PDB file of all heavy atoms in Angstrom:
ATOM      1  N   VAL A 304      -8.753 -13.609 -13.733  1.00  0.00           N
ATOM      2  CA  VAL A 304      -7.969 -12.957 -12.667  1.00  0.00           C
ATOM      3  C   VAL A 304      -6.841 -13.903 -12.221  1.00  0.00           C
ATOM      4  O   VAL A 304      -5.673 -13.519 -12.145  1.00  0.00           O
ATOM      5  CB  VAL A 304      -8.868 -12.587 -11.463  1.00  0.00           C
ATOM      6  CG1 VAL A 304      -8.034 -12.116 -10.288  1.00  0.00           C
ATOM      7  CG2 VAL A 304      -9.894 -11.534 -11.874  1.00  0.00           C
ATOM      8  N   ALA A 305      -7.230 -15.165 -11.960  1.00  0.00           N
ATOM      9  CA  ALA A 305      -6.227 -16.139 -11.492  1.00  0.00           C
ATOM     10  C   ALA A 305      -5.139 -16.323 -12.549  1.00  0.00           C
ATOM     11  O   ALA A 305      -3.948 -16.408 -12.222  1.00  0.00           O
ATOM     12  CB  ALA A 305      -6.911 -17.463 -11.170  1.00  0.00           C
ATOM     13  N   ALA A 306      -5.542 -16.358 -13.824  1.00  0.00           N
ATOM     14  CA  ALA A 306      -4.561 -16.586 -14.902  1.00  0.00           C
ATOM     15  C   ALA A 306      -3.555 -15.439 -14.955  1.00  0.00           C
ATOM     16  O   ALA A 306      -2.351 -15.671 -15.155  1.00  0.00           O
ATOM     17  CB  ALA A 306      -5.288 -16.727 -16.239  1.00  0.00           C
ATOM     18  N   HIS A 307      -4.026 -14.209 -14.775  1.00  0.00           N
ATOM     19  CA  HIS A 307      -3.076 -13.097 -14.824  1.00  0.00           C
ATOM     20  C   HIS A 307      -2.106 -13.149 -13.638  1.00  0.00           C
ATOM     21  O   HIS A 307      -0.903 -12.907 -13.802  1.00  0.00           O
ATOM     22  CB  HIS A 307      -3.800 -11.745 -14.856  1.00  0.00           C
ATOM     23  CG  HIS A 307      -2.818 -10.607 -14.886  1.00  0.00           C
ATOM     24  ND1 HIS A 307      -1.816 -10.528 -15.823  1.00  0.00           N
ATOM     25  CD2 HIS A 307      -2.635  -9.530 -14.064  1.00  0.00           C
ATOM     26  CE1 HIS A 307      -1.070  -9.459 -15.603  1.00  0.00           C
ATOM     27  NE2 HIS A 307      -1.540  -8.841 -14.539  1.00  0.00           N
ATOM     28  N   LEU A 308      -2.629 -13.493 -12.473  1.00  0.00           N
ATOM     29  CA  LEU A 308      -1.737 -13.589 -11.306  1.00  0.00           C
ATOM     30  C   LEU A 308      -0.681 -14.673 -11.533  1.00  0.00           C
ATOM     31  O   LEU A 308       0.502 -14.467 -11.251  1.00  0.00           O
ATOM     32  CB  LEU A 308      -2.553 -13.856 -10.035  1.00  0.00           C
ATOM     33  CG  LEU A 308      -3.533 -12.724  -9.664  1.00  0.00           C
ATOM     34  CD1 LEU A 308      -4.438 -13.140  -8.517  1.00  0.00           C
ATOM     35  CD2 LEU A 308      -2.768 -11.438  -9.302  1.00  0.00           C
ATOM     36  N   ARG A 309      -1.126 -15.795 -12.102  1.00  0.00           N
ATOM     37  CA  ARG A 309      -0.147 -16.865 -12.408  1.00  0.00           C
ATOM     38  C   ARG A 309       0.884 -16.380 -13.427  1.00  0.00           C
ATOM     39  O   ARG A 309       2.069 -16.674 -13.305  1.00  0.00           O
ATOM     40  CB  ARG A 309      -0.872 -18.095 -12.984  1.00  0.00           C
ATOM     41  CG  ARG A 309      -1.547 -18.977 -11.960  1.00  0.00           C
ATOM     42  CD  ARG A 309      -1.929 -20.331 -12.556  1.00  0.00           C
ATOM     43  NE  ARG A 309      -2.832 -20.255 -13.694  1.00  0.00           N
ATOM     44  CZ  ARG A 309      -4.167 -20.168 -13.615  1.00  0.00           C
ATOM     45  NH1 ARG A 309      -4.760 -20.146 -12.435  1.00  0.00           N
ATOM     46  NH2 ARG A 309      -4.910 -20.115 -14.706  1.00  0.00           N
ATOM     47  N   ALA A 310       0.426 -15.590 -14.391  1.00  0.00           N
ATOM     48  CA  ALA A 310       1.334 -15.125 -15.462  1.00  0.00           C
ATOM     49  C   ALA A 310       2.468 -14.268 -14.928  1.00  0.00           C
ATOM     50  O   ALA A 310       3.521 -14.175 -15.551  1.00  0.00           O
ATOM     51  CB  ALA A 310       0.540 -14.359 -16.520  1.00  0.00           C
ATOM     52  N   VAL A 311       2.233 -13.630 -13.780  1.00  0.00           N
ATOM     53  CA  VAL A 311       3.300 -12.794 -13.198  1.00  0.00           C
ATOM     54  C   VAL A 311       3.876 -13.445 -11.931  1.00  0.00           C
ATOM     55  O   VAL A 311       4.479 -12.770 -11.094  1.00  0.00           O
ATOM     56  CB  VAL A 311       2.797 -11.349 -12.915  1.00  0.00           C
ATOM     57  CG1 VAL A 311       2.486 -10.621 -14.217  1.00  0.00           C
ATOM     58  CG2 VAL A 311       1.593 -11.354 -11.987  1.00  0.00           C
ATOM     59  N   SER A 312       3.639 -14.748 -11.808  1.00  0.00           N
ATOM     60  CA  SER A 312       4.202 -15.539 -10.693  1.00  0.00           C
ATOM     61  C   SER A 312       3.738 -15.057  -9.326  1.00  0.00           C
ATOM     62  O   SER A 312       4.510 -15.071  -8.353  1.00  0.00           O
ATOM     63  CB  SER A 312       5.736 -15.544 -10.744  1.00  0.00           C
ATOM     64  OG  SER A 312       6.174 -16.036 -11.968  1.00  0.00           O
ATOM     65  N   LEU A 313       2.487 -14.620  -9.258  1.00  0.00           N
ATOM     66  CA  LEU A 313       1.880 -14.311  -7.957  1.00  0.00           C
ATOM     67  C   LEU A 313       0.945 -15.455  -7.584  1.00  0.00           C
ATOM     68  O   LEU A 313       0.361 -16.103  -8.474  1.00  0.00           O
ATOM     69  CB  LEU A 313       1.089 -12.999  -8.031  1.00  0.00           C
ATOM     70  CG  LEU A 313       1.918 -11.722  -7.863  1.00  0.00           C
ATOM     71  CD1 LEU A 313       1.108 -10.492  -8.275  1.00  0.00           C
ATOM     72  CD2 LEU A 313       2.425 -11.572  -6.431  1.00  0.00           C
TER      73      LEU A 313
END
Side-chain angles (χ1 to χ4, degrees):
V304 171
H307 179 53
L308 297 172
R309 281 194 301 275
V311 293
S312 303
L313 277 167

